């Protein structure tokens, strides 16, 4: 009885290494994101994340090379290369999102519902300590007008309730959104305006954003203005506007629940 020898095509080395590199890049990316969360936030601190994405791109390129080699030589490893490509593309989704926001949103890092007279940030000892001594600087009104077209929903919140009630709603909305409330001042006094000073932190990278909310009385109720400013970089990717709109939605929900 003769045995039949079955020869299988070898597995593409490019496919093997593309899978290894894809999983390695996932581990590096996860570790780099963890380091960013644990360290003091800084633009320089994002370097490990950028390095991780270089490895992701290398894994993707190697997966493409594996497909070409498999097509030419008939080697096995299509599944490995496909898995590596899929994993790499999934990791590239956040980077693609950032790229789209960079292109489609104006280069702003400070957004306010009042572009003519933005709320001023507190310079109290508690507020300065929470912001590490930083006070967001005023920016020219012409730059603020960039937000009108990009964020038409970022407008003052007009309420048909007294300023004191609006102040309570603003404070509750800030707390409900998970912001750290630093200090509050009820409406009244010489200016008649109330204020809520807060800090918000991102969910993934935990970058801190400074927020100040101003409550002013009106003849027929009250007006709430909010300003949100990023601490790092000159482009917030639309985060500050999104935060302001989330605050407006929270105030509306609290008004409906009254």
């Amino acid at each position: 009885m003769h045995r039949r020898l079955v020869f299988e095509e070898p597995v593409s080395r490019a496919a093997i290494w593309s899978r290894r590199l894809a999983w390695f890049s996932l581990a590096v990316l996860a570790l780099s994101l963890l380091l960013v969360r644990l360290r003091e936030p800084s633009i320089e601190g994002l370097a490990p994340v950028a390095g991780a994405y270089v490895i992701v791109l290398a894994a993707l390129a190697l997966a493409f090379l594996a497909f070409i080699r498999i097509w030419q030589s008939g080697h096995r490893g299509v599944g490995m290369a496909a898995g590596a490509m899929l994993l790499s593309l999934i990791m590239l989704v956040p980077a693609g999102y950032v790229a789209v926001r960079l292109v489609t949103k104006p280069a702003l890092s400070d957004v306010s519902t009042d572009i003519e007279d933005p709320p001023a940030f507190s310079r109290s000892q508690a507020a300065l300590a929470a912001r590490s001594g930083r006070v967001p600087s005023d920016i020219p009104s012409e730059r603020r007008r960039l937000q009108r077209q990009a964020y038409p929903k970022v407008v003052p919140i007009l309420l048909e309730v007294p300023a004191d009630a609006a102040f309570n709603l603003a404070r509750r909305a800030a707390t409900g959104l998970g912001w750290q409330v630093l200090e509050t001042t009820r409406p009244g006094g010489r200016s008649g305006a109330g204020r809520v000073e807060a800090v918000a932190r991102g969910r993934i990278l935990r970058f801190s954003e400074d927020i100040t909310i101003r409550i002013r009385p009106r003849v027929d109720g009250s007006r709430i203005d909010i300003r949100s400013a990023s601490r790092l970089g000159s482009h917030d990717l639309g985060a500050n506007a999104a935060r302001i709109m989330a605050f407006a939605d929270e105030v509306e929900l609290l008004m409906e629940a009254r």
Side-chain angles (χ1 to χ4, degrees):
M1 183 175 181
H2 299 284
R3 292 184 179 181
R4 178 179 294 178
L5 298 178
V6 178
F7 295 95
E8 291 186 345
E9 291 291 340
V11 179
S12 168
R13 294 185 63 185
I16 295 173
W17 280 102
S18 67
R19 183 175 66 175
R20 290 176 179 175
L21 199 58
W23 283 107
F24 176 69
S25 64
L26 177 62
V28 173
L29 182 60
L31 181 60
S32 62
L33 289 174
L34 179 62
L35 289 175
V36 170
R37 286 176 61 92
L38 294 177
R39 291 177 177 176
E40 186 69 23
S42 66
I43 296 298
E44 295 77 12
L46 292 175
V49 179
Y53 272 109
V54 171
I55 304 175
V56 173
L57 290 173
L60 183 61
L62 199 56
F64 273 114
L65 178 62
F67 278 121
I68 295 173
R69 292 285 180 84
I70 291 170
W71 176 265
Q72 292 175 342
S73 64
H75 289 176
R76 293 182 298 126
V78 172
M80 292 183 184
M85 181 177 292
L86 179 61
L87 182 58
S88 299
L89 290 174
I90 290 173
M91 286 187 285
L92 285 172
V93 168
Y97 171 80
V98 170
V100 170
R101 303 291 281 189
L102 281 171
V103 173
T104 59
K105 298 299 180 182
L108 294 171
S109 60
D110 188 325
V111 176
S112 172
T113 55
D114 188 342
I115 65 174
E116 303 299 335
D117 181 25
F121 283 92
S122 171
R123 295 176 179 268
S124 70
Q125 185 175 356
L128 289 173
R131 296 196 301 259
S132 301
R134 178 183 180 274
V135 178
S137 58
D138 294 329
I139 61 176
S141 57
E142 57 268 18
R143 280 194 55 77
R144 287 202 177 278
R145 293 191 182 97
L146 292 174
Q147 77 178 52
R148 278 184 170 168
Q149 184 176 0
Y151 311 120
K153 293 184 179 180
V154 176
V155 294
I157 303 170
L158 305 180
L159 302 176
E160 296 180 353
V161 297
D164 201 59
F167 167 81
N168 291 331
L169 289 170
R171 184 175 57 183
R172 288 175 58 193
T175 303
L177 290 169
W179 300 349
Q180 177 189 358
V181 176
L182 305 178
E183 63 179 23
T184 60
T185 303
R186 285 192 170 277
R190 296 175 60 183
S191 67
R195 188 181 73 251
V196 176
E197 203 82 9
V199 173
R201 291 180 176 83
R203 294 180 179 178
I204 299 177
L205 298 181
R206 304 296 293 170
F207 283 179
S208 297
E209 319 291 344
D210 297 314
I211 300 166
T212 184
I213 305 167
R214 183 179 64 203
I215 304 96
R216 283 177 170 172
R218 300 173 72 242
V219 175
D220 56 349
S222 54
R223 167 174 168 161
I224 300 176
D225 282 295
I226 174 172
R227 178 181 173 189
S228 179
S230 302
R231 294 187 184 181
L232 299 175
S234 59
H235 203 309
D236 64 3
L237 307 178
N240 286 307
R243 186 172 297 109
I244 290 174
M245 288 186 281
F247 173 80
D249 291 341
E250 187 73 11
V251 169
E252 183 178 354
L253 289 174
L254 292 173
M255 277 290 293
E256 293 174 354
R258 281 169 57 89

